[in-house]
Amino acid sequence: MASRYHCPVELTMDVVGGKWRPVILAHLKEGVHRYGELRRRMPEVSEKMLVQRLRELEADGLVSRHERDTNPPWVEYRLTDEGRSLAPVLQAMYDWGLERARRTGATIIDPPT
Amino acid sequence: MASRYHCPVELTMDVVGGKWRPVILAHLKEGVHRYGELRRRMPEVSEKMLVQRLRELEADGLVSRHERDTNPPWVEYRLTDEGRSLAPVLQAMYDWGLERARRTGATIIDPPT
DNA sequence: CTGTATCCGCACAGATACTG
DNA sequence: CAGTATCTGTGCGGATACAG
């Protein structure tokens, strides 16, 4: 992570850029999710990528991980305050994506809850 | 570019994702820019990347290119209506980047106009 | 259920040189 | 001024198998 940028948007993309990070954040914005729920909502991402991104988002202070010591394991992910501060960005992305899909005929497949 | 997504944010990232595309769009959001102006405002991007991204944004209908037949050459880039529809996304990214810089101590270097 | 561990390909990205 | 052309590499992302 660099610390000198020539435009605030560069910094934002450094934190929430990449294929899956904003998608994870958008789901967590809707509430606490277990690991398996995230997997079901993002059927295209590999386990490796999902875990990797979650760890990075944790390290960046946007997401927190909560492990219940049960069997079977139960792990929840949620946004931190810093993560919630991204809500306007995520919402704008979500809204634009919906409209763009309408205009271009792309399909949004409803994810299972 | 895929046409089936499981979340609108995936679609948005497919279009404005990547390191430089949103930065280009954020600059053009402020008005028409010549090629050289974009270069000065984005000193870290290579010419190859800048041109490549501009061509892609053109192909996606977000940016239009206007060439004045003069010597020396004079090429302007501007947002299309579709590109302007991204304003809320770009603005939210810009605002969040500024705040995040304040919180983390990252430096935003003012670009020359 | 919630992850690790490996292997692999390639698209993205940087550097440099050159051109109408 | 506004690009092309070419070479090179590396890290992102995917697939698969395995583990506590």
Side-chain angles (χ1 to χ4, degrees):
Chain A
M1 194 93 65
S3 58
R4 293 171 72 84
Y5 304 88
H6 291 267
C7 171
V9 174
E10 285 180 43
L11 192 163
T12 302
M13 286 307 290
D14 217 12
V15 179
V16 304
K19 192 171 178 179
W20 296 113
R21 302 182 81 165
V23 180
I24 295 171
L25 293 168
H27 285 306
L28 293 183
K29 173 172 165 291
E30 299 308 306
V32 177
H33 283 73
R34 291 183 63 181
Y35 174 78
E37 290 175 324
L38 288 173
R39 290 235 59 204
R40 278 195 299 284
R41 286 170 179 275
M42 304 166 63
E44 304 299 319
V45 70
S46 71
E47 297 189 339
K48 176 191 163 189
M49 284 300 113
L50 180 54
V51 174
Q52 201 167 105
R53 297 303 153 241
L54 283 168
R55 297 287 176 271
E56 292 171 358
L57 292 170
E58 227 189 319
D60 287 342
L62 305 178
V63 163
S64 64
R65 180 181 183 277
H66 303 272
E67 188 170 359
R68 297 188 191 176
D69 193 7
T70 59
N71 194 315
W74 182 296
V75 178
E76 291 175 343
Y77 293 93
R78 67 188 63 193
L79 294 187
T80 61
D81 286 345
E82 181 78 7
R84 269 186 289 279
S85 76
L86 272 167
V89 176
L90 300 169
Q91 190 65 49
M93 283 182 169
Y94 188 95
D95 294 343
W96 191 85
L98 270 187
E99 283 307 302
R100 172 82 172 181
R102 214 178 38 70
R103 287 193 292 268
T104 64
T107 309
I108 310 284
I109 305 165
D110 253 9
T113 306
Chain B
M1 194 92 66
S3 59
R4 293 171 72 84
Y5 304 88
H6 291 267
C7 170
V9 174
E10 284 181 42
L11 191 163
T12 301
M13 285 306 290
D14 217 12
V15 178
V16 304
K19 191 171 179 179
W20 295 113
R21 303 181 93 187
V23 180
I24 296 171
L25 292 167
H27 285 306
L28 294 183
K29 173 172 166 293
E30 299 308 306
V32 177
H33 282 73
R34 293 184 62 182
Y35 175 77
E37 289 176 326
L38 289 174
R39 289 234 59 203
R40 277 194 299 284
R41 285 170 181 274
M42 303 166 65
E44 305 298 319
V45 70
S46 70
E47 297 191 340
K48 176 190 163 189
M49 284 300 114
L50 180 54
V51 174
Q52 202 167 104
R53 297 303 152 242
L54 282 168
R55 298 287 176 271
E56 292 171 359
L57 292 170
E58 227 189 319
D60 287 341
L62 304 177
V63 163
S64 63
R65 180 180 181 278
H66 302 272
E67 188 170 357
R68 297 187 190 175
D69 194 6
T70 58
N71 193 314
W74 184 296
V75 179
E76 290 176 345
Y77 293 92
R78 68 189 63 194
L79 293 187
T80 62
D81 287 345
E82 181 78 6
R84 269 186 290 278
S85 75
L86 273 167
V89 176
L90 300 169
Q91 189 66 49
M93 284 181 170
Y94 187 96
D95 294 343
W96 190 85
L98 269 187
E99 284 306 301
R100 172 82 173 180
R102 215 178 37 70
R103 287 193 292 267
T104 64
T107 309
I108 309 286
I109 305 165
D110 252 9
T113 308

